[in-house]
Amino acid sequence: MKPPRKLHIKSYGCQMNVYDAQRMVDTLAGEGFVETAEVNDADLVILNTCHIREKASEKVYSELGRLRAIKDEAARGGRTMNIAVAGCVAQAEGAEIIRRAPVVDVVVGPQSYHHLPQLLADAKRHGRALETEFPIKDKFGFLPAPRPEAIRARGISAFVTVQEGCDKFCTFCVVPYTRGAEVSRPVARIVDDVRRLAEHGVREITLIGQNVNAYHGEGPDGLIWTLGALLHRLAEIPGILRLRYSTSHPRDVDDSLIAAHRDLPALMPFVHLPVQSGSDRILAAMNRRHTTDDYRAVIDRFRAVRQDIAFSSDFIVGFPGESREDFQATLALVMQIGYAGAYSFKYSPRPGTPAADMREMVSAEEMDERLVRLQELIDSQQSAFNRAAIGNTVDVLFERPARKPGQIVGRTAYLQPAHVMATPDIIGRVLPVQIESLERYSLLGRLAPSASQMASAAITSAPTTFPQASDSSQTRMGT
Ligand code: 5AD
Ligand code: SF4
């Protein structure tokens, strides 16, 4: 038997890229590849790139420079190393990458990962291969289902892509160009995936999509289902304890999604709902298609059905033409809503987007200052939100042993890490925890007395292997 070939994937950017990386590993497992964390040993290195913000392509070229040295070293040792560039930079600049970086063997856009084996074979025969078409409706129909051992190794929380692409065309954003038009997967396929994940120990599912609540997939009844309907269906699958979804657009919050939050205890009361700016003038220039009043009204609809719901958001500071008053309006909106956390970014012009041609640039110093002020405000809200948990008993889904021996770490409904001293048999279960203190962003506590008894009596089986902490540098998707 041939020894397995080794595959190293480096992913940048959003959860969709993390998910796509896993699908690439699953696809290439069929070709005899096994994943390695060690780039020097790899027979194939894939850079899974992100194009959403600053200097994306420069980062790719400098990483390719480093890889060239490693590839040359492998060649001196008589070993062939192939290098592939995937993801949104591959989609946006594929031909340019082939031209500028001879070290690259394969360039593959996000819609074509199922063609990777063929592209590698083509590269072997003809030297290089490039595919950045948007050829099919549902690439996932062509990708293999994850293998049971891979599911178990990835732990109790999994992402499932339900839609991809975006038709909104915010003026600052590359997603509609790199991920293409909005496409939703059929309900039956998603149900199959989730059932399979649950059978192999997954307890929490995050449905992902660039514009996830624009979901409109074909249902088993031949009708078009909304995200709310899909969530209702998934909540029925045995073993699924928690459901989440990301990233949502304020305009696409419909009554079925609100009803899902009202009706489904498994649907976590934590919603990532980017607003980008608190100024109506800037929102219009961004082509967001909603005002701040629309956004506040959406928040109120969620709060009306779940008092314990919390929100996070994305903000861009220094969008072209953003005045001091516009920025003040953003601070005022943050004060008014009160977030459990949020991501904020300095505007960066993305080639090919309408905003890249706008002239009224905000100076670098002004942008830096605004970012610091906004982040300070968000941090203070996040700390207050985390501190509010102290003294309460909250449900925690336990994920894996923590770094400190004897500790198990899980997450609250709001994705706050929570640590307790306990035995690993609690992994995969939701148990009440009395929160005693906060250490930076982590809650520390003890299993509530009833939970300790339940833990010793419980029969649920947990996966036997646990992944290490996931990469916290990951960013959110658009919307
Ligand atoms: N500049 C800065 N931030 C951006 N984002 C998207 N495009 C840009 C850009 N050109 C941010 C938005 C989005 C998040 C994923 O990235 O806030 O919601
Ligand atoms: Fe679409 Fe979101 Fe990008 Fe706007 S920011 S174009 S809604 S992905």
Side-chain angles (χ1 to χ4, degrees), residues 23 43 47 49 55 73 85 117 122 169 173 200 202 256 270 273 280 347 387 396 434 448 456 461 476:
R23 294 290 79 75
D43 301 294
L47 290 186
T49 60
K55 304 200 177 80
E73 183 61 35
V85 180
D122 289 353
F169 290 93
C173 184
H200 295 290
V202 170
S256 83
F270 188 36
L273 197 65
D280 286 334
Y347 169 70
R387 274 196 311 275
V396 173
Q434 288 171 353
S456 52
S461 69
R476 299 275 176 178

Side-chain angles (χ1 to χ4, degrees), residues 217-362:
E218 191 191 331
D221 51 6
L223 300 176
I224 295 299
W225 285 33
T226 59
L227 182 66
L230 177 67
L231 286 162
H232 273 93
R233 174 69 191 88
L234 298 180
E236 292 167 1
I237 295 177
I240 295 304
L241 303 177
R242 286 184 168 183
L243 290 167
R244 303 177 185 277
Y245 58 90
S246 188
T247 290
S248 302
H249 192 288
R251 248 185 93 115
D252 293 324
V253 174
D254 66 0
D255 290 344
S256 83
L257 188 58
I258 300 291
H261 278 280
R262 184 194 59 210
D263 300 340
L264 303 175
L267 182 56
M268 291 295 99
F270 188 36
V271 177
H272 185 61
L273 197 65
V275 63
Q276 314 294 356
S277 167
S279 152
D280 286 334
R281 210 174 65 82
I282 295 297
L283 288 177
M286 287 176 164
N287 189 32
R288 287 290 294 175
R289 305 161 192 238
H290 62 77
T291 62
T292 49
D293 276 349
D294 297 333
Y295 184 78
R296 281 188 281 262
V298 170
I299 296 267
D300 288 347
R301 281 162 70 209
F302 279 110
R303 285 184 169 151
V305 296
R306 268 219 69 160
Q307 274 90 351
D308 60 347
I309 204 158
F311 296 92
S312 60
S313 182
D314 292 341
F315 293 92
I316 296 178
V317 301
F319 185 81
E322 185 189 68
S323 66
R324 295 209 164 156
E325 291 70 39
D326 293 320
F327 177 65
Q328 281 301 333
T330 298
L331 296 178
L333 182 72
V334 173
M335 296 284 286
Q336 194 184 7
I337 303 286
Y339 288 99
Y343 300 83
S344 43
F345 311 103
K346 285 190 277 188
Y347 169 70
S348 92
R350 306 285 74 212
T353 58
D357 296 329
M358 295 180 185
R359 293 274 153 259
E360 279 178 89
M361 290 302 283
V362 174

Side-chain angles (χ1 to χ4, degrees), residues 166 168-170 172-173 175-176 210-211 249 276 288 478-479:
C166 182
K168 290 282 188 295
F169 290 93
C170 298
F172 54 79
C173 184
V175 166
Q210 269 90 25
N211 202 339
H249 192 288
Q276 314 294 356
R288 287 290 294 175
T479 299

